[in-house]
Amino acid sequence: MATATSHNKKSSAVKRILSEARELANDSSDLYSASPLEDNMFEWHFTLRGPANTEFANGLYHGRILLPAEYPMRPPNLMLLTPNGRWELNKKICLTFTGFHEEMWQPAWGIRTALLGLQTFMTAKAEAAVGIGALDYPVQAREKLAKESRKWTCDVCAKTTLELLPDPDPEQETKQEALPDGLCVDLTAQSHKSQPSASASTSTSTSTPAAGPDAAARPIITTAATSEEPPAPVAAPTPPPPAPIAAAAPAAPTLPAPARLRPSFNAALPPHTSATQRKLSLIDNCIKALSVLVALLVVKRLI
């Protein structure tokens, strides 16, 4: 077991790590084993037994635990070294109690918490089995890797996984350890996410069928039917009204009558020519005014 000779003995992280190392060294659990390296107590190696009644049940999985200098105020990072079909190798695993989610970490948790949580997350399926480093191998491939993992050897520990974590006595009943308080693992994310979609689909439908693919299909059919029935007759009559309104627009030629009463314009010219003449006269007046101002400025400069 690593010692504190190369580290600050007064550090709270060192004290906590040494305390957990002694606790796990005296732990007789056959589900896991873990200890820090001789030359670096902030790096641990562990061996974890696969969860019972799953494709990982016969597997023994070896990995690393990297502790930050601020441990236990900050969470550890875990990575697996043994091929398993659930996570990538030599890559930090994204879990709720690792460095990827520091906001969810509690200082009361420790190495044992991380090991139990990792074992529990191995059984996650479908949408729950996501995150950085996650894999989705077929069950047969995972069972094959589980059998091969028992002979896997760690180069650092120089031992096989079976030597690091021997099988328990078959006559002795294996006890399952519970997760610590505050750590909840949701392994049914797919079913939880499918329920809102089913309820939303049933709320949009007019009938009251049971949940399932039929219920999801019925709302689509009913909404398509309702969208086709009203718009077809309503949209058809709406175009005709604009046509007569547009036809009535020619009544506007009655407006030129007042323009003809004005003696200042030629009766042969259309009304819009009078407006252009006004604009041209205004432009001419503006040009004259500007020219006068320029002339005044020039005279003032010369004086």
Side-chain angles (χ1 to χ4, degrees), residues 203-215:
S203 62
T204 55
S205 62
T206 55
S207 58
T208 57
D214 294 336

Side-chain angles (χ1 to χ4, degrees), residues 29-32 48-54 57 112 116 119-120 123 168 173-179:
S29 175
D30 55 6
L31 299 177
Y32 54 81
L48 185 66
R49 191 177 304 279
N53 303 321
T54 67
R112 177 178 172 275
L116 292 176
Q119 184 193 53
T120 305
T123 61
E173 183 180 358
T174 302
K175 62 178 181 178
Q176 297 293 332
E177 300 187 33
L179 295 174

Side-chain angles (χ1 to χ4, degrees), residues 260-281:
R260 292 173 186 170
L261 298 176
R262 296 181 182 180
S264 60
F265 299 102
N266 189 0
L269 295 176
H272 66 274
T273 54
S274 60
T276 54
Q277 289 177 356
R278 290 193 203 117
K279 292 180 181 178
L280 290 174
S281 61

